[in-house]
Amino acid sequence: MIKIKRILLLALLMLTTLASSAQKFKVVLDAGHGGKDPGAVGSVKTNREKDINLAIVKEIGRLLAANQSDIEVHYTRQTDIFVELGRRAEIANNLNADLFVSVHTNALPKTSRKATGVQSYTLTLRTADVNLEVEKRENSVIQLESSGAQSKYKYNDTAEAEIMFELMQDIHMRESVSFAKMAQNEMIRTAGRNNMGVQQANLAVLRLTYMPSVLLEVGYISTPSEEQYLMTTDGRNKLARSIYNAIVSYRKTKK
């Protein structure tokens, strides 16, 4: 019975992928945090992650709209509003998007050493100690959501759910890693950032999306030099250009 379900689910996912490839390439840009959730905060209260993320995402979208007629751009938010993690994924899933790109800004506790650099994350259900703090921080927004939200994000470990996730991994994981590597390389080369690698973490917003999905940490607002960089239009635009270049390169592999 499980083998039959595996075959049926694989066929469904293949049909969905083929249908998507015949249409315009759809990218969903997700500016992390927003509204009542400021995300990480810098040395002054007005230096907020939610604003950095939104500025970068809007510039990526502007570049795509101006230069890539075969790429259809969608957003989870374009203003300073709070959007639940589940809703962000739902927007991408309902659009049958080809790529989900979530932009975030990193931070460390004040007692930790100062860090610099960019990281690109794809999904894993296996929590590793090295990425535990990233998981806690990026998933903590669930605490700001409505009552009962916690249960909504729990991984369903039934046999059927495990089959579905395994098949989704087979189809989308390699694509997610491929784009993550492109984005990481571009942020290093084009924006001149320090390389902290392509990594995996159990992030709710990635776990709920049904397409190649990546979360990008564009720098540490908790490190003074990086905070200064992220608060400049030039710095944010260089990061946006980097991610734009990666999306265009990835799109070319799908033609």
Side-chain angles (χ1 to χ4, degrees):
M1 186 65 179
I2 290 178
K3 187 175 181 180
I4 294 173
K5 288 181 178 179
R6 183 187 296 267
I7 293 170
L8 290 173
L9 288 169
L10 180 59
L12 176 62
L13 286 168
M14 289 178 67
L15 286 171
T16 301
T17 302
L18 287 172
S20 176
S21 64
Q23 302 169 354
K24 259 193 173 185
F25 189 86
K26 297 178 184 177
V27 175
V28 173
L29 301 175
D30 174 48
H33 306 278
K36 63 184 178 180
D37 173 25
V41 178
S43 58
V44 295
K45 291 182 179 180
T46 53
N47 291 357
R48 302 173 299 190
E49 176 184 358
K50 66 175 183 177
D51 302 321
I52 295 169
N53 300 342
L54 184 59
I56 292 172
V57 157
K58 290 175 76 171
E59 178 62 10
I60 299 168
R62 187 193 70 78
L63 290 169
L64 288 169
N67 300 291
Q68 305 297 323
S69 59
D70 65 334
I71 296 180
E72 189 175 300
V73 182
H74 299 270
Y75 302 86
T76 58
R77 70 180 181 97
Q78 296 186 69
T79 58
D80 185 20
I81 60 171
F82 179 77
V83 183
E84 293 186 355
L85 293 180
R87 177 57 186 154
R88 294 169 191 263
E90 184 180 37
I91 290 168
N93 294 336
N94 288 345
L95 287 165
N96 194 23
D98 298 286
L99 182 65
F100 180 84
V101 182
S102 188
V103 175
H104 288 253
T105 304
N106 226 330
L108 288 174
K110 291 182 179 180
T111 54
S112 300
R113 66 176 179 83
K114 291 181 173 60
T116 61
V118 292
Q119 296 173 308
S120 300
Y121 283 90
T122 61
L123 177 66
T124 181
L125 291 184
R126 298 171 181 84
T127 295
D129 290 341
V130 67
N131 294 331
L132 185 58
E133 290 306 313
V134 173
E135 292 181 12
K136 286 179 179 178
R137 185 176 66 254
E138 300 303 354
N139 291 337
S140 65
V141 63
I142 297 171
Q143 305 295 331
L144 299 177
E145 296 185 14
S146 57
S147 177
Q150 291 281 356
S151 60
K152 180 172 59 177
Y153 297 107
K154 287 182 179 177
Y155 176 62
N156 183 354
D157 59 358
T158 63
E160 290 84 357
E162 287 184 359
I163 293 169
M164 175 62 84
F165 186 76
E166 181 182 335
L167 292 173
M168 285 171 59
Q169 278 190 317
D170 289 342
I171 293 174
H172 298 315
M173 188 55 68
R174 281 177 293 179
E175 293 296 315
S176 297
V177 172
S178 176
F179 175 74
K181 289 179 178 177
M182 291 178 184
Q184 189 72 12
N185 289 337
E186 282 289 344
M187 288 190 288
I188 296 161
R189 180 171 58 247
T190 304
R193 312 319 292 158
N194 184 42
N195 183 13
M196 295 193 73
V198 175
Q199 304 187 40
Q200 291 184 310
N202 187 352
L203 302 171
V205 72
L206 300 184
R207 189 168 68 243
L208 297 170
T209 51
Y210 303 142
M211 73 285 302
S213 304
V214 174
L215 186 146
L216 306 176
E217 296 279 7
V218 298
Y220 284 85
I221 198 171
S222 55
T223 300
S225 61
E226 293 224 329
E227 178 185 7
Q228 184 178 7
Y229 179 86
L230 292 166
M231 292 310 300
T232 65
T233 300
D234 182 63
R236 293 192 297 267
N237 284 354
K238 283 180 179 176
L239 287 161
R241 171 67 68 171
S242 303
I243 299 166
Y244 161 81
N245 288 346
I247 292 171
V248 172
S249 296
Y250 180 76
R251 168 58 178 139
K252 288 177 180 176
T253 69
K254 303 294 111 185
K255 289 184 177 180

